[in-house]
Amino acid sequence: MDIFSIILTIAGLCLFETITSIDNAIINADVLSTMSQKARRWFLIWGLLFAVFVIRGGLPWLIVWAGVPSLGPIGAFSAAFSSDPVMAAAITQSAPVLLIGGGTFLIFLFFHWLFLEEKEFGIRGERYIASKGVWFFAVISILLTAIVGLAVGKNPLMAFGAVIGSTAFFIVNGFRQNAEEKERTMISGNLSDVSKIFYLEIIDATFSIDGVMGAFAFTMAVPLIIIGNGIGALIVREITVRNVDSIRKYRFLKNGAMYSILCLGTIMILDSFGFGIPAFVSPVVTFGIVGYFLFRSIHRAPPASTA
């Protein structure tokens, strides 16, 4: 991989991590406003180190280990950070299983947002689809059946990977919904600062899964994933501290994040079936989609106060 491709990949990873974590930044800011200065400082320093090195560093390693269990935990760690051709070949061989699982997870995530979540309606048709939320489970069931059916003929392990991806979606979605309920309790209740920090770390972990899963659409190189996602996590913390109110006015950024997730999930599934999508496509598509919805957000933003 040449230097331009590396920079483009890291930039795409950074942008994707940032936009998929905007909701996380808003939740963090809301809860931090109810905490003592000392607890805020602890979370923003040590919580950041945990988010970057443990969550965004550990999840890619766990995913590689799950994709190639024969390597074992130590072998998976070596494979993730080694240039050894044998290790690289092992990851390449398991890539279709990893990609189809991650792609299924991301596509389910998109349709959950499209059908069931509250949103700003950014393009034509979103309002109509949101009014048909009852069809969400039918749509994803049909999609899973189609993906598994196609995968079985190519590689039974790929079919199993797709099922694992769908299972991961429902587990993560359950944790996330519970975390959102806990957020209301943390803001209005009398929980201790330690309890709030604990729940913020759980929320951060659930939101980081989207970025890590999508990262494999950009590259299978774990060091690049850690660098790109780590920089994105730093930006999210900066947004949490300084600019969360200004970020809220960009009303369609969430739409950009979700349509990026749909495209990256599709790219991952196509790659798993051997279509060989060029590496530059994922970052270029992400920049294009986010740029479009950012432009729409600026165009539709309420005028600044002149008082």
Side-chain angles (χ1 to χ4, degrees), residues 6-22 48-49 51-53 56-57 204 211-212 215 222-240 287:
I6 291 173
I7 292 172
L8 182 63
T9 298
I10 291 175
L13 286 165
C14 177
L15 176 64
F16 184 66
E17 171 66 26
T18 301
I19 62 168
T20 55
S21 298
I22 291 297
L48 175 61
L49 295 175
V52 173
F53 294 104
R56 288 161 180 83
D204 185 76
V212 172
V222 172
L224 294 185
I225 291 174
I226 293 174
I227 293 171
N229 285 3
I231 295 173
L234 287 170
I235 294 172
V236 169
R237 283 298 192 275
E238 186 67 18
I239 291 171
T240 298
F287 276 103

Side-chain angles (χ1 to χ4, degrees), residues 111-299:
F111 279 107
H112 185 271
W113 170 81
L114 187 64
F115 278 96
L116 298 179
E117 296 180 24
E118 293 184 9
K119 66 181 74 63
E120 295 281 355
F121 297 111
I123 61 175
R124 185 172 298 177
E126 287 179 352
R127 188 184 300 274
Y128 175 79
I129 295 173
S131 70
K132 308 297 181 183
V134 69
W135 286 97
F136 166 69
F137 291 101
V139 169
I140 63 169
S141 297
I142 292 169
L143 280 173
L144 182 61
T145 301
I147 292 170
V148 170
L150 291 170
V152 165
K154 186 173 181 64
N155 182 351
L157 283 178
M158 284 176 56
F160 182 67
V163 173
I164 292 295
S166 68
T167 302
F169 163 77
F170 287 109
I171 292 173
V172 170
N173 189 58
F175 275 111
R176 192 168 294 174
Q177 289 180 347
N178 181 67
E180 290 171 354
E181 294 175 6
K182 289 293 183 183
E183 179 204 358
R184 291 188 285 270
T185 302
M186 285 187 284
I187 294 173
S188 60
N190 296 315
L191 289 176
S192 68
D193 285 347
V194 173
S195 297
K196 291 176 181 179
I197 289 172
F198 176 73
Y199 278 111
L200 284 178
E201 294 295 352
I202 293 176
I203 291 170
D204 185 76
T206 60
F207 276 98
S208 69
I209 292 174
D210 304 353
V212 172
M213 286 290 194
F216 285 98
F218 293 83
T219 179
M220 295 296 290
V222 172
L224 294 185
I225 291 174
I226 293 174
I227 293 171
N229 285 3
I231 295 173
L234 287 170
I235 294 172
V236 169
R237 283 298 192 275
E238 186 67 18
I239 291 171
T240 298
V241 176
R242 302 181 187 278
N243 299 309
V244 71
D245 288 330
S246 59
I247 285 295
R248 291 180 197 265
K249 72 182 180 182
Y250 297 111
R251 53 194 296 188
F252 299 125
L253 274 185
K254 177 72 171 182
N255 302 60
M258 298 313 298
Y259 284 104
S260 297
I261 281 173
L262 171 64
C263 290
L264 294 179
T266 303
I267 287 170
M268 291 173 77
I269 289 178
L270 290 175
D271 266 340
S272 72
F273 282 99
F275 279 78
I277 308 297
F280 69 84
V281 171
S282 292
V284 168
V285 165
T286 302
F287 276 103
I289 292 173
V290 174
Y292 168 75
F293 282 103
L294 178 61
F295 173 80
R296 291 212 59 199
S297 298
I298 294 171
H299 183 67

Side-chain angles (χ1 to χ4, degrees), residues 57-58 60-61 75-84 91 222-224 226:
W61 162 64
F77 183 85
S78 299
F81 296 95
S82 171
S83 59
D84 185 340
I91 293 181
V222 172
L224 294 185
I226 293 174

